[in-house]
Amino acid sequence: MGTYFLFSVTFLTLQVTKIATVLILVAISGLRGAEARKGRTLESFEYTAISCREHTASITDFGGVGDGKTSNTKAFQDAVNRLSQYASDGGAQLYVPAGQWLTGSFSLTSHFTLYLHKDAVLLASQDMSEWPVLKPLPSYGRGRDAAGGRFTSLIFGTNLTDVIVTGANGTIDGQGAFWWQNFHKGKLKYTRPYLIEFMYSDNIQISNLTLLNSPTWNVHPVYSSNILVQGVTIIAPITSPNTDGINPDSCTNVRIEDCYIVSGDDCIAVKSGWDEYGISFGMPTKQLVIRRLTCISPYSAAIALGSEMSGGIQDVRAEDITAVHTESGVRIKTARGRGGFVKDIYVKRMTLHTMKWVFWMTGNYKAHADNHYDPNALPVIQGINYRDVVADNASMAARLEGIEGDPFTQICISNVTIGLAAKAKKVPWTCTDIEGITSGVSPRPCDLLPDQGPKKITACDFPPEPLSIDRVVLKSCTYRVNYV
C-alpha cells in the first residue's frame, strides 16, 4: 500500500487499548512505527448517506498540501484512482481535512465518497490548463458560452453509480470572478466549468456543502437518475453571470431539499436539452421533488422550467418555497422551435417577498442554439398547478404569455393572496394565449382564468402517491481517519 494510510471502517467495532490500536494501524498501513507517530492526526466524523464505505483515506496520504497555493489536482486524481480498487470491496472514501486545497478538475469513480471537513475549502484553480475540455453535450449541440466544447467541471464523473459528495458543511469555492471577467470580455473559447457535474450516472448524493462563486452553474446532474441534493448552501453575487444553483437536466427521480441559494441566475433551473438537439436526444427530466428551498435572485426565478426544455419536463412537485427579492417565483421559459413539453407541474406553499412577478410563463424566449431549429416545433405546456401562495410587495401578480396558435392549457391557480407594491403595475395580470381556472385568488385574475368559486379551492392539489426518490432511506455512517 506504499506510504499512504488507509483505515477500514470495520475496525471501529474493535475494542482494543490505545497501544494495540496504534500497532494495528501501523500493521495495516505498512508504515514504519516512527512514521506513524510523527505528525499524524486522528479524526472522527459521522453523517447520513445512501451508502457507507469500508475504506477511508486522507488527501494528505497522497501528497495533498492545504496551503491554498500548491496545486492538488494530481493528488486528488491519484487518490481517486488508487482508492477505486476498493469499489467492489465495500467502497472507499477520500477525506479532505481542514485547509485550503487548490485544485483543477478531477473525476470521481463508482462506490466512492468525497468528504469535506467543516474547515476544508476546495479552491478552484485559475490555471486553464488544469481544466480539460469536453465535447458539447449531445442534447445541446454546442456550449452555452461558445460554439465549441466546455471545460470539465471541478468535480466530475460519467457512467458512475453510488457516488457521494458531502461534508460537515465544507466549502467548494469556484473563484468565479476570474471566469466572469473573461466571459464578459469575450475571451473564453469554451463554456465555463461547473462546480459539480455527473453524467450518465445513477445513485448520486450531494449534501451538506457550501458552494461559493461558481464560474457558471453550480450543480449539474445530466442524463442521470436517482439523485439526492440535500442541505446545500449556494452563494454567488447577484450580478454574476449564469450562476444557476441546481440544474437537473434530462434526469429522472431527483430530490432537492433544504437548500439555500443566493444567485445571479435561477436558483433551480430544470432543463432537458436545446432546440433540435434536445428533441433528437429525447431524454426528459421527470419525477422531480423540490422542497424547503430558500432563494434570493433579483434577476431570475426561484424555480425555472426551461428555457432548454426540448426533451420535455414532466411531474415536478415543489413545496415550501421561500423567495425574497427574486424576479419571479416560478418561471416557464420556452419558444417556437423548442418542441418538447412542460406538463404535470405541481407547486404549493410558496411564501414570496418583494417580487417582480409571482407567476411568469413565456412562449417568447428566443435564445436558440443555432439557426437550424424548426420553427414549427411547438412546445406543449399543460397541467400547471399552483396553490397556497402568499406574496407581498409584488410589482405584478402574473405575466402569462403563451404562443399564438399553441396556447398553454390546463393552468390551475388556487388559494393565492398577492399583496402589490406601492408602485405596482396598474394591471396586475397580463394573459395571452392561455387557458385555465382559478379559485380563491386575489387580486382578481384575468378573464382567461375564470374563478370557479371556493368549492374548487383544492382543484390544484398534489398527486397523493409519493415518488420513488422519496422512499430512499439514508444510513448513519461513522468513521475514523488517521492522516499526516
Side-chain angles (χ1 to χ4, degrees):
M1 297 176 64
T3 60
Y4 71 96
F5 176 81
L6 187 63
F7 185 85
S8 171
V9 70
T10 56
F11 285 103
L12 293 177
T13 59
L14 296 177
Q15 301 299 316
V16 294
T17 65
K18 183 177 181 181
I19 294 175
T21 301
V22 172
L23 292 174
I24 291 170
L25 296 175
V26 171
I28 293 173
S29 65
L31 297 172
R32 295 177 181 176
E35 292 174 330
R37 292 191 296 271
K38 183 180 178 181
R40 299 192 73 85
T41 301
L42 182 66
E43 293 270 8
S44 298
F45 56 100
E46 60 182 281
Y47 58 89
T48 58
I50 56 175
S51 301
C52 302
R53 308 303 183 196
E54 289 293 326
H55 306 277
T56 298
S58 169
I59 187 61
T60 61
D61 298 319
F62 300 88
V65 179
D67 61 2
K69 300 177 181 178
T70 303
S71 174
N72 292 284
T73 307
K74 185 177 185 300
F76 275 106
Q77 198 59 68
D78 285 349
V80 174
N81 293 344
R82 293 289 296 273
L83 293 172
S84 67
Q85 66 182 300
Y86 299 101
S88 60
D89 183 27
Q93 175 173 246
L94 181 62
Y95 176 80
V96 182
Q100 294 192 327
W101 307 89
L102 183 68
T103 181
S105 173
F106 61 96
S107 297
L108 302 188
T109 189
S110 293
H111 308 293
F112 186 89
T113 296
L114 178 69
Y115 181 93
L116 274 61
H117 181 277
K118 65 182 179 65
D119 296 319
V121 181
L122 293 190
L123 286 175
S125 172
Q126 297 183 346
D127 180 353
M128 289 189 185
S129 69
E130 295 198 285
W131 302 85
V133 176
L134 298 172
K135 294 179 179 180
L137 290 166
S139 60
Y140 283 73
R142 55 158 289 166
R144 297 186 84 258
D145 292 345
R150 60 202 187 97
F151 291 104
T152 308
S153 300
L154 184 66
I155 299 171
F156 180 71
T158 185
N159 294 292
L160 304 182
T161 187
D162 181 23
V163 179
I164 301 167
V165 182
T166 190
N169 204 32
T171 299
I172 301 174
D173 186 344
Q175 301 202 93
F178 164 79
W179 297 95
W180 306 331
Q181 291 166 8
N182 280 285
F183 170 73
H184 285 307
K185 292 176 181 178
K187 291 185 176 181
L188 295 176
K189 293 173 60 178
Y190 307 108
T191 294
R192 289 163 286 162
Y194 310 135
L195 286 188
I196 302 173
E197 180 182 63
F198 293 106
M199 299 174 57
Y200 302 108
S201 295
D202 183 57
N203 290 326
I204 303 297
Q205 176 183 338
I206 301 166
S207 61
N208 301 324
L209 299 168
T210 295
L211 309 182
L212 303 178
N213 302 319
S214 179
T216 180
W217 301 351
N218 281 264
V219 178
H220 184 227
V222 59
Y223 318 142
S224 296
S225 59
N226 300 309
I227 300 152
L228 182 62
V229 183
Q230 286 182 319
V232 174
T233 297
I234 296 174
I235 298 176
I238 59 173
T239 56
S240 55
N242 312 115
T243 50
D244 298 31
I246 303 166
N247 290 24
D249 194 345
S250 294
C251 290
T252 300
N253 282 327
V254 181
R255 188 167 112 209
I256 300 169
E257 57 191 9
D258 301 305
C259 292
Y260 175 85
I261 302 173
V262 181
S263 171
D265 212 318
D266 301 315
C267 289
I268 293 179
V270 186
K271 299 180 179 292
S272 67
W274 202 355
D275 290 355
E276 70 270 25
Y277 304 103
I279 294 171
S280 176
F281 197 77
M283 182 178 287
T285 289
K286 57 184 180 180
Q287 298 165 5
L288 167 63
V289 175
I290 304 167
R291 59 170 65 101
R292 297 184 298 276
L293 166 72
T294 299
C295 168
I296 300 174
S297 184
Y299 304 107
S300 290
I303 299 173
L305 306 168
S307 64
E308 302 89 346
M309 42 62 66
S310 302
I313 297 170
Q314 185 172 15
D315 199 356
V316 177
R317 308 178 188 190
E319 57 185 317
D320 300 312
I321 309 300
T322 300
V324 181
H325 288 284
T326 298
E327 187 176 62
S328 55
V330 179
R331 182 182 181 188
I332 297 175
K333 302 183 285 185
T334 188
R336 292 180 179 274
R338 296 288 190 201
F341 52 85
V342 177
K343 57 186 179 181
D344 304 331
I345 309 300
Y346 307 92
V347 182
K348 68 179 178 181
R349 293 195 301 272
M350 286 200 300
T351 303
L352 311 173
H353 306 278
T354 309
M355 312 293 289
K356 188 172 183 180
W357 299 288
V358 174
F359 308 116
W360 185 15
M361 304 178 193
T362 179
N364 195 36
Y365 201 87
K366 292 183 178 179
H368 294 288
D370 53 36
N371 293 324
H372 303 304
Y373 68 92
D374 178 5
N376 295 316
L378 298 177
V380 175
I381 312 299
Q382 68 179 34
I384 314 299
N385 300 272
Y386 304 130
R387 63 162 298 169
D388 305 338
V389 178
V390 176
D392 61 45
N393 201 33
S395 298
M396 282 189 69
R399 178 181 171 185
L400 310 177
E401 304 165 329
I403 298 172
E404 185 177 359
D406 181 36
F408 300 173
T409 62
Q410 299 176 27
I411 297 169
C412 183
I413 304 175
S414 70
N415 194 30
V416 172
T417 301
I418 299 171
L420 297 174
K423 296 183 179 181
K425 299 290 185 180
K426 292 182 179 180
V427 179
W429 293 75
T430 62
C431 306
T432 56
D433 299 297
I434 65 165
E435 299 174 5
I437 62 171
T438 59
S439 176
V441 176
S442 176
R444 181 180 178 274
C446 54
D447 292 339
L448 294 177
L449 298 172
D451 189 339
Q452 303 298 299
K455 292 183 179 180
K456 297 287 187 179
I457 207 161
T458 61
C460 317
D461 244 345
F462 262 43
E465 69 281 357
L467 295 172
S468 62
I469 192 66
D470 270 326
R471 298 188 181 98
V472 173
V473 177
L474 302 183
K475 303 173 184 178
S476 180
C477 305
T478 303
Y479 302 92
R480 279 182 171 182
V481 61
N482 190 306
Y483 61 92
V484 177

